Amino acid sequence: MQKIFNQSAPILLESDSDTVLTYTNIKKIDNQLSFSSRLGSLSKKIEPIKVEFPFPKSKEYTVIQGNNSNFTHNSDFSRYALDFDMKTNDTICSATSGYVVGVIDQYKLSGKGKEWRPFANFITIYEPNSGVFFQYVHLVHKGSLVKIGDKVEQGQKIALSGNTGRSTVEHLHFSCLIPANTENGLKSIPIEFVGGKKGIELKIGDKLKKEQF
């Protein structure tokens, strides 16, 4: 049964609707079936989008890890992410408007090895016009200021930064992602900021300031 089930994947579930799958002529049912869910639609056209810096106006932060780099920005899921030197409890703002589709904020600890990856607190926001997802990662314990289903506006305060999961220093990991038929279900894409700054051009030590106006 699992083999037949796998042959159907991926299955697109339409929003705000029920989906029923019917399999016929099944001779044997396994004791257990495994499956996983993914965000977004592989058929939606992705539109270009420029985003704000993910922190409040008049604040300045330094890039501590850029694109396609070690220690953690070297996979399809994280290749174009940026890390900012935000301290624990610094305010994170939404880079776009959109809807909150993921919140994890119950973890407290961090470590260097890959085994710590599942223990990062994060928020995922979906921007429906572009089809792009945005993730804000390594939040402090109970650091989310929003919940799943909330509509947020660009510049809105959404979380407090921290140092959870696979992390060795307190910081914000910020990434833009689109749907992909991969293990993670999403892949990283280059970031372009309002005002012309491009993520692929930013290096360790670059300072970014969100202007007041």
Side-chain angles (χ1 to χ4, degrees):
M1 180 61 183
Q2 183 68 55
K3 183 178 180 180
I4 296 173
F5 192 68
N6 291 345
Q7 290 172 349
S8 304
I11 299 167
L12 178 63
L13 306 181
E14 297 294 339
S15 60
D16 298 322
S17 65
D18 294 329
T19 300
V20 178
L21 303 177
T22 302
Y23 294 87
T24 60
N25 298 322
I26 302 300
K27 297 180 180 180
K28 179 181 179 181
I29 299 178
D30 298 334
N31 292 330
Q32 184 175 1
L33 292 175
S34 64
F35 65 94
S36 59
S37 61
R38 299 288 183 263
L39 294 170
S41 170
L42 296 174
S43 63
K44 179 175 174 58
K45 181 181 178 182
I46 303 299
E47 300 290 348
I49 183 171
K50 294 183 179 181
V51 305
E52 292 279 5
F53 296 137
F55 41 81
K57 292 179 179 179
S58 300
K59 291 290 187 178
E60 181 180 79
Y61 289 98
T62 302
V63 175
I64 60 173
Q65 187 176 185
N67 288 179
N68 198 31
S69 58
N70 294 326
F71 124 90
T72 54
H73 296 181
N74 51 13
S75 70
D76 288 344
F77 183 68
S78 62
R79 195 171 313 282
Y80 299 105
L82 293 169
D83 287 352
F84 297 100
D85 67 334
M86 299 180 76
K87 303 304 181 185
T88 297
N89 290 318
D90 278 0
T91 300
I92 298 168
C93 295
S94 182
T96 66
S97 59
Y99 295 89
V100 180
V101 295
V103 174
I104 297 291
D105 71 350
Q106 75 267 32
Y107 297 120
K108 297 180 179 181
L109 303 177
S110 64
K112 185 176 182 179
K114 292 181 180 180
E115 66 274 13
W116 287 96
R117 186 178 296 158
F119 302 102
N121 294 326
F122 66 88
I123 289 173
T124 305
I125 291 177
Y126 177 63
E127 201 290 307
N129 295 319
S130 64
V132 179
F133 294 85
F134 297 85
Q135 279 198 337
Y136 308 77
V137 188
H138 305 301
L139 313 181
V140 72
H141 176 243
K142 297 298 182 183
S144 175
L145 305 179
V146 295
K147 63 183 183 300
I148 290 177
D150 283 354
K151 186 180 188 301
V152 300
E153 301 298 332
Q154 190 175 59
Q156 179 178 330
K157 297 176 181 179
I158 58 171
L160 302 177
S161 188
N163 182 28
T164 53
R166 191 182 185 193
S167 173
T168 57
V169 296
E170 50 194 347
H171 72 285
L172 169 67
H173 173 99
F174 174 63
S175 62
C176 301
L177 302 149
I178 62 173
N181 191 17
T182 63
E183 180 181 356
N184 293 304
L186 295 169
K187 71 175 181 180
S188 176
I189 62 170
I191 301 169
E192 185 170 358
F193 294 103
V194 172
K197 288 282 187 182
K198 295 183 178 180
I200 58 175
E201 298 173 351
L202 296 174
K203 307 298 181 185
I204 293 175
D206 286 348
K207 296 183 181 297
L208 300 177
K209 185 175 183 178
K210 192 172 183 179
E211 301 299 335
Q212 182 65 37
F213 301 103

